[in-house]
Amino acid sequence: WLRVDRPGVVIEAVKAAEDGRGIIVRLYEAYGTRGAVSLSVPADITRAQRTDLLERPIEDIDVRAGLIELTVRPFGIVTLCLFPG
């Protein structure tokens, strides 16, 4: 139910958030390249936040038409918290 459009970006983990509010999705870039990636999410996901590895919020991320647009760094890890509407 989650999909990325960039080769080399791997969805590593999907789990319930530690605080019980939301779904944690962890991605990493495996090819050593920088660039844009789109994450397709279900239609009921209306809000997202980028978090650190301890799931503390860093910034809000727009969810538009079931897509989350991100930029990944070489070998970078991205942690997101997704919130159903």
Side-chain angles (χ1 to χ4, degrees):
W1 56 279
L2 298 172
R3 200 169 346 138
V4 293
D5 70 346
R6 183 180 178 91
V9 175
V10 179
I11 298 172
E12 179 182 42
V14 177
K15 69 178 197 79
E18 292 295 323
D19 65 6
R21 297 180 301 148
I23 301 162
I24 297 297
V25 177
R26 192 158 289 131
L27 314 165
Y28 71 90
E29 197 291 316
Y31 288 177
T33 60
R34 174 185 307 271
V37 62
S38 295
L39 174 67
S40 298
V41 297
D44 67 333
I45 301 298
T46 58
R47 192 167 73 90
Q49 286 181 331
R50 184 182 293 247
T51 70
D52 64 14
L53 290 172
L54 297 176
E55 302 178 15
R56 295 178 296 210
I58 296 173
E59 65 179 333
D60 290 334
I61 304 279
D62 288 333
V63 180
R64 292 192 182 126
L67 288 176
I68 297 172
E69 304 288 334
L70 303 166
T71 300
V72 292
R73 294 183 299 184
F75 305 111
I77 297 171
V78 175
T79 304
L80 301 173
C81 187
L82 308 179
F83 300 96

